[in-house]
Amino acid sequence: MSHIFISYSKKDIEFARYLRDLLEAEGYGVWMDETRLVPSEQWWPTIERNIETCAAFIVIMSPNSRVSRWVEREILYAESDELHKPIFPVLLKGRVWPRLADIQYSDMKSGLGAALPPLLINGLRRAKVPVGERAIVPPPLPGDPISGVVPLPSQPTNRRTIYTISAVIALIVVAAVVIGLIALSGGDDDNPTPSATQGASVPTDTPEPAITTPAPTDTAEPTQTQTPSD
């Protein structure tokens, strides 16, 4: 017995993976069913075997898992007189289940931003769950895993920092818009640049052409007037 078995609803797989990553960061080995399909009767013997060999049984309590017959089936087997596994309920959403009300639960309602509760860590230590090299995890069930990887979130960002970043981004966007409008309007008004479609500038006042009278080609000799003599 060396691993932790996580029982959960497939609708809560993101949080189940998050919880697994937190536990693995502490050195624990974790087994959970990540296959795309609902467990079939053919897979049930493997699930039974992994419950039988687990050192601790964690059940994620939520409205989704509360109505899951597979989660109920796994709990019934883990708490049976034959096995009597140490069960650690983790509350994700909703209320504590009456059927597990006699077991102290760990509150992780903050979801993907939650840290491992000290109550859970201390309980796993009391149960002497192996860590490090002694934490051996059984192979996963056959089948395609549900897509999507949920990374561990970084430290929570200060709200004031978020507002500052948003304001800087808004200023950058406004500056880009203003620069674009200036570029579209033609730039500097003192030095206008003619556009390609306008071509060269044309003077507005064009002098009218002078009208010339052609010179006569033949010049008539002046006629001499003779005065008759008396």
Side-chain angles (χ1 to χ4, degrees):
M1 297 187 297
S2 60
H3 65 275
I4 297 173
F5 185 101
I6 293 183
S7 178
Y8 71 102
S9 166
K10 292 295 180 65
K11 295 179 181 179
D12 300 325
I13 190 169
E14 289 188 356
F15 177 78
R17 285 173 170 164
Y18 173 73
L19 177 59
R20 177 197 59 194
D21 292 344
L22 290 178
L23 292 168
E24 288 179 344
E26 295 292 327
Y28 294 102
V30 181
W31 191 92
M32 52 183 280
D33 172 24
E34 296 186 77
T35 53
R36 191 182 303 276
L37 302 176
V38 176
S40 66
E41 293 295 337
Q42 183 179 0
W43 295 352
W44 179 247
T46 304
I47 295 175
E48 276 187 337
R49 196 160 50 247
N50 290 333
I51 295 175
E52 292 168 0
T53 58
C54 75
F57 182 96
I58 292 179
V59 54
I60 298 176
M61 294 187 296
S62 73
N64 296 323
S65 57
R66 186 170 183 174
V67 297
S68 170
R69 68 185 184 92
W70 288 101
V71 171
E72 177 67 18
R73 192 171 178 178
E74 291 167 355
I75 295 174
L76 286 172
Y77 192 58
E79 67 182 5
S80 64
D81 294 336
E82 178 186 356
L83 300 180
H84 199 63
K85 295 292 181 178
I87 297 178
F88 298 91
V90 171
L91 181 60
L92 173 60
K93 297 178 182 178
R95 299 178 180 179
V96 179
W97 301 350
R99 71 179 315 282
L100 298 175
D102 60 336
I103 305 176
Q104 197 169 13
Y105 70 94
S106 299
D107 190 338
M108 296 188 72
K109 281 188 174 181
S110 52
L112 298 181
L116 276 178
L119 179 65
L120 178 59
I121 294 297
N122 293 334
L124 295 174
R125 288 173 180 170
R126 286 195 301 269
K128 298 181 179 180
V129 180
V131 294
E133 295 180 357
R134 297 184 296 118
I136 301 173
V137 183
L141 288 176
D144 296 332
I146 298 174
S147 60
V149 177
V150 181
L152 285 174
S154 57
Q155 293 295 327
T157 306
N158 187 285
R159 183 172 295 181
R160 182 178 297 178
T161 303
I162 295 176
Y163 291 158
T164 302
I165 294 174
S166 301
V168 171
I169 294 175
L171 288 175
I172 293 174
V173 172
V174 171
V177 171
V178 171
I179 293 173
L181 291 176
I182 292 175
L184 291 175
S185 64
D188 191 355
D189 292 336
D190 295 334
N191 298 286
T193 303
S195 63
T197 56
Q198 289 176 340
S201 59
V202 179
T204 55
D205 297 330
T206 304
E208 294 183 359
I211 301 174
T212 57
T213 303
T217 55
D218 296 329
T219 303
E221 291 291 336
T223 304
Q224 293 182 355
T225 305
Q226 297 181 354
T227 302
S229 60
D230 293 333

